[in-house]
Amino acid sequence: MNNLLKKLFSDSAAFAFSTMGNKLVAFLLAPVYISYLAKDEFAAWDQTNAYTLILTYLCILGTDAAMAYYFFDAKELRERRIYLSNALLFSSLVCIVVALIMYFIGEYVNPIVYGEVVRSDYKYLLFIATMATLGAIVIQHLLAYARYMQKKWLFNFFSMGYVIGSNLLSLWFVVYDSGIVGLFYGQLIGQITIAIILMILFRSEFILQFSKKHLTNLIKYGAPLVPTLISFWAITAIGRSVLVHIDGSQAALYSGALRVASMIVLITAPFQLAWRPFAMSIKSRDDAKRIYSLVGRILLVIGTLSIMVMTFFIKDFSAFYLKKLAPAYPYIWILSLGTLLNVLHTVFAVGLLINKQTKKISKAFLIASLIYVLGCLFLIPLYKLWGAVAMTLISYFLVILLVYKQNQKVYAINFRFPSIVIYLCIYIAVMTGITWIQLQSTIDLWRYDLLALCIMIVSVFISGLFSIRSLGLLKRLIIKK
């Protein structure tokens, strides 16, 4: 088991290389985009990104997640290649059809998408964005396949290559006065170029054979996950939309807090990339359930303590990075914790993924997103931004609870869930205390920070999440050759 856990953590560390590079690029270029784009173009940028995100979900239709299952379920290499070819062909054809539609009717759809900020040069913006999405879809499928083949450095090189290349091209177009349309021209050129290179590199993996059976398997497994993805997007987008109509300044703070809170993906994204193929590859082992339980609890502790340490410096960092939006700092840890819980649901639902019961995951997200919307409509008018972030945390914890209960019915795992709840309650109380002290501008905050960190380390053991003997196991895990 030690070797398997080392493999998971080493894979996560390898994938962290590209994640950190991509986040660094986004971090450095964001202020430049802000300087060159007109004020009304930011809304168009957000709307176009929302369009491409939903388009990606609908074109891929969960077949990328299904590939994580069928790559290891397939008995022969040829069968894996048929799955890959059919997933790629299906997603690409759907995106091409949408691109053709947008080419002819894009200018008539623009007023619906962009409202009052629509410009005459946006005529082909949705078409350009759709074609850029086609490149991104091909890249996503092929790099996922590279992950499953354990080609970690190929994955890292091209992940960073297409993100850095696309952003530099976009920046060039934006600087030379092409505005938001130029930004997506850069995405189009960069992503299509990398997609073509990857298709050449993976040409031996393609089998030009349409298989209704294989495509049906992929869609039956993956399609029920699409509502999960859309619900995840809605939980972020709806709260911001409600805030926009109630208090625009609060909506701006929310956007700033989300930007900084996304830094938690430096931990969660590498884990997500490594977790699903790892989980599927060990599903037949006798000790698989013990490994799943241990991984979930380790991720919870590492993630929450990382958010806590980040919070110690968040006030000064926000003043430097967010500038006018610096007052958003009290909300960042809550949004970061919500992101962490969203990632943890893939661990607590591992039995549902193994047993192809992905519909139950989507049902949990749909219930949570409905409660989120109702909660936002009630709490935001009363508490504004605090209402939005509180509902984010409540919704993701509800997802965890629902998928855990469903998972236990089909694939019971001892995650020590009561201990997890106790640990999270202590954590939220301690973090609330840190935020209150920061808002009071108390000097010598480091003393309170050190006390809070000690409390949480002790709570790992008093909650029953881990025993003292676990320290010996983790020590052997690190030093064992």
Side-chain angles (χ1 to χ4, degrees):
M1 183 176 74
N2 286 356
N3 290 332
L4 287 172
L5 290 176
K6 281 184 177 181
K7 180 178 182 299
L8 173 61
F9 296 137
S10 66
D11 287 352
S12 297
F15 294 135
F17 180 78
S18 65
T19 304
M20 291 180 68
N22 295 342
K23 292 299 294 182
L24 181 61
V25 170
F27 178 82
L28 294 175
L29 292 183
V32 183
Y33 284 134
I34 292 172
S35 299
Y36 281 93
L37 290 175
K39 187 175 181 180
D40 64 340
E41 288 185 298
F42 289 110
W45 189 8
D46 284 342
Q47 289 297 92
T48 310
N49 283 334
Y51 162 77
T52 58
L53 185 62
I54 296 297
L55 178 64
T56 302
Y57 292 159
L58 296 178
C59 290
I60 292 180
L61 211 61
T63 55
D64 57 339
M67 274 298 301
Y69 178 89
Y70 285 107
F71 180 91
F72 297 100
D73 188 66
K75 306 301 181 184
E76 299 177 355
L77 177 60
R78 176 179 172 81
E79 191 173 13
R80 288 179 180 175
R81 290 174 171 173
I82 293 175
Y83 274 120
L84 172 66
S85 302
N86 279 264
L88 191 59
L89 183 63
F90 170 79
S91 300
S92 299
L93 286 176
V94 173
C95 195
I96 290 171
V97 170
V98 175
L100 290 173
I101 293 172
M102 287 303 167
Y103 180 82
F104 291 105
I105 71 168
E107 62 180 314
Y108 305 108
V109 176
N110 283 344
I112 300 174
V113 177
Y114 302 111
E116 295 181 356
V117 300
V118 67
R119 295 183 178 184
S120 59
D121 59 339
Y122 290 2
K123 180 177 180 180
Y124 294 110
L125 179 54
L126 291 177
F127 168 72
I128 295 167
T130 304
M131 290 302 297
T133 303
L134 173 61
I137 286 171
V138 173
I139 293 169
Q140 186 170 329
H141 273 302
L142 294 181
L143 290 185
Y145 195 75
R147 293 205 322 268
Y148 308 149
M149 297 174 71
Q150 289 298 302
K151 294 185 176 183
K152 295 187 285 288
W153 296 110
L154 182 146
F155 171 88
N156 284 330
F157 178 81
F158 281 100
S159 292
M160 292 186 66
Y162 102 83
V163 171
I164 294 174
S166 297
N167 275 283
L168 290 177
L169 283 168
S170 295
L171 184 61
W172 187 86
F173 279 108
V174 169
V175 169
Y176 282 90
D177 203 28
S178 296
I180 193 69
V181 178
L183 191 152
F184 282 95
Y185 267 126
Q187 300 292 312
L188 171 63
I189 296 171
Q191 289 169 189
I192 291 294
T193 299
I194 295 297
I196 292 172
I197 294 173
L198 284 173
M199 290 183 70
I200 293 173
L201 292 176
F202 281 88
R203 62 187 183 277
S204 62
E205 299 296 325
F206 300 138
I207 295 179
L208 298 179
Q209 172 188 332
F210 172 74
S211 171
K212 182 179 179 180
K213 172 190 172 183
H214 290 81
L215 183 58
T216 300
N217 287 343
L218 289 170
I219 293 176
K220 284 179 66 176
Y221 186 100
L225 290 172
V226 174
T228 299
L229 298 171
I230 295 177
S231 297
F232 171 67
W233 168 82
I235 286 176
T236 300
I238 292 173
R240 180 164 45 203
S241 298
V242 176
L243 280 169
V244 165
H245 288 88
I246 292 178
D247 190 329
S249 62
Q250 291 278 290
L253 291 178
Y254 188 52
S255 296
L258 280 172
R259 182 178 294 276
V260 179
S262 66
M263 291 173 63
I264 192 64
V265 303
L266 293 176
I267 295 173
T268 59
F271 174 82
Q272 280 183 290
L273 294 171
W275 166 248
R276 188 162 285 173
F278 171 82
M280 295 301 108
S281 69
I282 68 167
K283 63 182 181 179
S284 299
R285 289 178 57 95
D286 293 336
D287 58 351
K289 293 184 178 182
R290 185 183 174 197
I291 295 173
Y292 296 148
S293 172
L294 188 58
V295 168
R297 288 179 281 127
I298 290 175
L299 178 62
L300 175 64
V301 173
I302 292 176
T304 50
L305 293 183
S306 298
I307 294 170
M308 174 174 279
V309 172
M310 179 180 73
T311 304
F312 294 161
F313 310 98
I314 203 64
K315 188 174 182 178
D316 292 332
F317 178 80
S318 297
F320 163 74
Y321 184 69
L322 294 177
K323 295 181 171 53
K324 293 181 180 180
L325 300 180
Y329 77 88
Y331 314 102
I332 292 172
W333 73 266
I334 306 176
L335 296 173
S336 298
L337 181 57
T339 300
L340 176 63
L341 293 179
N342 176 59
V343 174
L344 275 167
H345 95 267
T346 61
V347 181
F348 289 111
V350 65
L352 299 176
L353 294 171
I354 291 173
N355 289 282
K356 304 181 186 180
Q357 297 192 28
T358 51
K359 289 182 179 179
K360 293 181 178 180
I361 301 175
S362 290
K363 183 179 179 181
F365 266 89
L366 287 172
I367 293 172
S369 61
L370 178 61
I371 291 175
Y372 173 81
V373 171
L374 295 175
C376 282
L377 293 175
F378 177 73
L379 292 179
I380 290 179
L382 297 174
Y383 304 105
K384 296 186 179 178
L385 186 46
W386 280 116
V389 296
M391 284 310 305
T392 299
L393 188 57
I394 292 170
S395 299
Y396 283 127
F397 183 76
L398 181 60
V399 168
I400 290 287
L401 180 61
L402 292 174
V403 298
Y404 168 77
K405 290 182 64 177
Q406 292 300 320
N407 188 85
Q408 296 304 93
K409 294 177 182 179
V410 300
Y411 192 84
I413 300 174
N414 181 17
F415 282 112
R416 302 187 186 180
F417 201 77
S419 298
I420 289 174
V421 174
I422 294 171
Y423 174 82
L424 283 174
C425 288
I426 297 172
Y427 181 80
I428 292 171
V430 170
M431 291 297 290
T432 301
I434 293 174
T435 300
W436 184 83
I437 292 170
Q438 287 178 334
L439 288 170
Q440 305 310 307
S441 299
T442 307
I443 60 174
D444 295 332
L445 290 176
W446 65 269
R447 296 178 181 177
Y448 299 97
D449 294 342
L450 184 60
L451 176 62
L453 186 60
C454 291
I455 290 173
M456 289 316 305
I457 292 174
V458 171
S459 71
V460 170
F461 303 103
I462 64 173
S463 66
L465 198 59
F466 286 95
S467 64
I468 298 297
R469 290 188 304 170
S470 302
L471 294 176
L473 173 62
L474 293 176
K475 181 179 179 181
R476 292 194 300 272
L477 177 62
I478 295 172
I479 65 175
K480 185 178 179 179
K481 296 182 180 178

